[in-house]
Structures are given as C-alpha cells and as structure tokens.
C-alpha cells in the first residue's frame, strides 16, 4: 500500500480509516481515501510518555487533518506540512488552551485584550478591544469577520491581507494601527506556545501601508468647529468643545479630573502618552471647565458620558460622526480632526512651533513633519511685512 504516488493511491480501497506511512519513529503521514478521485492527508503523532497501571509504556496517538489532496497539495507538500506540525508538537505547541479550547483568531485577540489589561491597564486594553470589536469579532454575530473563527494553525498571509482589505471606512494610518494590534495578539499566542512559529513568518509577509502617516489634510475652520459643537448634545458636546478649545488628545481629556483644572492659573493638567503637562487655556476653555467642575469633587472625572461614567476609547466615534453629518461636514470628521485643526489654527495665528509643541505635547520634529508647510507660509507672510532695505 503506497500513498506517495498517484498510482499507489489509486490502488487503495475507499474507506474512512487513513492509510498510514511511517516518516520517523512516532511520526506518520496518512491518506484517507474518500472516493476514487478525492482524499485527505492526515498526520499522526505518537508518544509513549503515558503509562499503564502496570507501569508499561502506553502509546498515545494524536491525529491532525492537513487538508484535502489536490495537484497543488500532493504528497511532498503533505509531508512538509506534517513535519511542521510534528515540530510544533515536539515543542509543546498544540494550538489548544489549558481549558481545552482551540485557539482561533478571536480567542487570541480576546486573550491579548486581557493581557493588556494586566500589563498596561484599562486604557490600553479598551483601545485594543474597540479595534477588535470593529474589525474582528464584532459587537454581535452579524459584524463578526470571517477571520475571527479561523484556527491559528490555518492562518496564512493571504487570509490577513483579505481581512485588511475588508476594513472599510478606515484611513491607512488607522488600518496600520489596527494591523499592529492584530499582529501583537497573534504573536502573543506564538510566544506562549499556542501557535507555531510559521504564523509569525506569515505575518511578516503582510506589510504596513507606506506613507500612511502623512500630514492630515482635513481642517475645520472656526465656523465649522462651531457648527460641529452646536450639532452635538449632552456629554458629547462637552467633549467635542473641550477638544476644539484645547487641542488635547481624547485620552488626555477623558482622564482629567476636576482637581486637574486650575482656574487661577488658567490651565488644565493632563497626562497622556507623552507624560504630564499643563495645558494653557483660552478664556472660552476656562469658562467651559469651570462650568463642568462646579460643585463636584476634585477626584471626579471632569468629562463624563451621559450616564455619568468615564469615557472609554472610541465611545465618542459614532457621536462625532452623527454630529458631523447633522452639521453637513465632511464624513471623515473625527475627534482627532479638532486637535489637528487647533494646531493648524495656532500656527497660522502666530504661535511658535515651540509653544504649540509644549501646549499639545507633540515633539518639534512631529510639528515640523506634519505642519512645517504652515510655519514656512506664516513666516513668509511676516517677513514680507518687514522693512529690511
């Protein structure tokens, strides 16, 4: 009985049990003949680590379906796939959690979220969870992506590329960040022995979009920003107005406490990815934060949702989009648009790059990279007004 040639497989009888061929001690490749022109490849891994009651070695067989035979997946390819699986089994990589659950992309993503919660805290975990909810496992079954249910052992580069192409409505920069989160989730499974090293190699084949971090082009002028604020209500209005008046990142605003607002110094002390800083406030921002902090404890969050709870990452996405639609503003308007617009307005209004850098918590290099054209234009206008002759 031979399974390594077409003629040999043709001489086999159709039966549910595979025909096995030994590749090495405890390692075998099998062919399950389903019909005269169909069959599947099966790998068998055998160990004798278990013992009988008498103390004798007990053989334990573990089978793995490798896939259906095809001209592209013939004997040689099946042997290669079997040996890759044997290598994982030797390393203790079974693709199954301690609870006996098969590792899928969704399980790897949810596991990564919990890892972020333990290691980095709620903010990092909630950010990853929101990204995966939008692009992988969804908030309900209707929004669940095809990639979510795939076993990690089956994931290949073309599956990840196809998933990425289904990310509609996201900028290339946002797609890159989401791709980074997915890659981190799957690599965590690899590092913890829940997926084979070939998964890491497959992920390397899917490159990030180039030039995705080019300067943002959507700018809302003062009238448009006011239209966006007026089109929003309740807690969303407070958050949108705060972002428009300060240029702060969303997380910096939603983590700020009432005690962080210093009315006397006209400043808001924030903490974000670039550390702590005091944000100087314009009169309109002082008035807003004074109203929000009035009568509340210093340890209360300054900006909260309508239900009184702290804002979580991306809670505001739909609210901002809804307000932008009501105000007839571009559909790509997001909360970060207000930060970009604030920086643009400040530079065009004459603030130096150093002043803007300190207020917004952005490096001078990033200011120059994304807004250098504005600085040059403003400088040219001021230079033209000088009498140097």
């Amino acid at each position: 009985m031979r399974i390594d040639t077409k003629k040999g497989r043709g001489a086999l009888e159709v039966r549910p049990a595979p025909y096995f061929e030994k590749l090495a001690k405890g390692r075998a490749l099998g062919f399950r003949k389903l019909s005269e022109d169909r069959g599947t490849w099966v790998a068998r891994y055998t160990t004798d680590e278990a013992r009988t009651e008498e103390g004798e070695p007990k053989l334990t067989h573990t089978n793995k379906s490798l896939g259906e035979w095809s001209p592209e997946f013939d004997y040689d390819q099946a042997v290669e796939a079997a040996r890759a699986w044997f290598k994982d089994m030797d390393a203790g990589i079974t693709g199954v959690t301690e609870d006996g659950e098969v590792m899928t992309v969704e399980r790897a993503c949810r596991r990564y979220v919990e890892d972020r919660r333990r290691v980095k805290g709620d903010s990092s975990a909630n950010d990853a969870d929101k990204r995966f909810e939008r692009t992988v496992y969804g908030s309900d079954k209707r929004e669940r992506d095809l990639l979510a249910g795939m076993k990690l052992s089956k994931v290949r580069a073309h599956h990840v590329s196809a998933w990425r192409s289904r990310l509609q409505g996201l900028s290339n920069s946002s797609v890159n960040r989401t791709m980074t989160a997915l890659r981190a989730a799957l690599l965590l499974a690899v590092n913890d022995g829940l997926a084979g090293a070939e998964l890491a190699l497959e992920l390397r084949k899917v490159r990030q979009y180039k030039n995705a971090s080019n300067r943002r082009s959507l700018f809302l002028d003062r009238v448009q920003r006011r239209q966006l604020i007026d089109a929003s209500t309740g807690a969303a209005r407070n958050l949108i107005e705060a972002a428009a008046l300060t240029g702060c990142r969303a997380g910096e605003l939603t983590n700020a406490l009432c005690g962080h607002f210093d009315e006397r110094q006209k400043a808001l002390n924030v903490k974000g990815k670039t550390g702590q800083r005091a944000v100087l406030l314009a009169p309109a921002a002082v008035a807003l934060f004074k109203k929000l902090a009035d009568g509340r404890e210093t340890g209360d969050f300054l900006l909260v949702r309508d239900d009184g709870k702290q804002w979580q990452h991306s809670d505001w996405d739909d609210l901002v989009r809804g307000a932008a639609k009501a105000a007839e503003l571009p559909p790509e308007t997001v909360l970060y648009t207000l930060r970009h617009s604030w920086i643009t307005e400040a530079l065009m209004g004459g603030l130096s790059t150093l002043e803007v850098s300190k207020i917004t918590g952005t490096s001078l290099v990033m200011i120059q990279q994304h807004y250098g054209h504005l600085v040059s234009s403003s400088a040219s206008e001021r230079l033209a007004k000088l009498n140097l002759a």
Side-chain angles (χ1 to χ4, degrees), residues 226-246:
R226 175 46 58 184
Q227 289 173 336
L228 182 65
I229 294 170
D230 291 341
S232 56
T233 60
R237 180 189 176 103
N238 293 333
L239 181 59
I240 290 172
E241 187 170 10
L245 293 174
T246 65

Side-chain angles (χ1 to χ4, degrees), residues 5 12 14 56 64 68 76 83 90 100 160 167 189 236 290 349:
T5 64
L12 301 175
V14 175
E56 296 295 325
K64 177 181 174 62
E68 190 165 340
D76 290 341
R83 285 176 174 159
D90 288 339
V160 179
L167 303 183
K290 182 179 179 181

Side-chain angles (χ1 to χ4, degrees), residues 13 27 47 75 99 103 158 199 248 314 331 349:
E13 294 182 1
R27 316 289 184 264
T47 62
Y75 176 81
D99 299 328
M103 282 301 296
H158 67 88
L199 178 56
C248 288
S314 297

Side-chain angles (χ1 to χ4, degrees), residues 97-116:
T97 67
E98 293 179 355
D99 299 328
E101 298 177 338
V102 175
M103 282 301 296
T104 62
V105 173
E106 177 177 353
R107 292 192 190 282
C109 289
R110 293 189 183 279
R111 189 171 176 274
Y112 175 75
V113 170
E114 293 310 310
D115 176 79
R116 293 298 84 192

Side-chain angles (χ1 to χ4, degrees), residues 53-79:
E53 293 182 358
E54 292 77 21
E56 296 295 325
K58 181 181 179 181
L59 297 181
T60 302
H61 303 292
T62 304
N63 290 354
K64 177 181 174 62
S65 176
L66 301 176
E68 190 165 340
W69 172 90
S70 71
E72 294 75 28
F73 194 50
D74 207 341
Y75 176 81
D76 290 341
Q77 291 75 28
V79 169

Side-chain angles (χ1 to χ4, degrees), residues 20-24 26-30 42-46 82 85-86:
F20 281 102
E21 170 188 285
K22 181 179 178 181
L23 298 180
R27 316 289 184 264
L29 175 67
V42 181
R44 169 167 288 182
Y45 183 87
T46 304
W85 179 61
F86 297 149

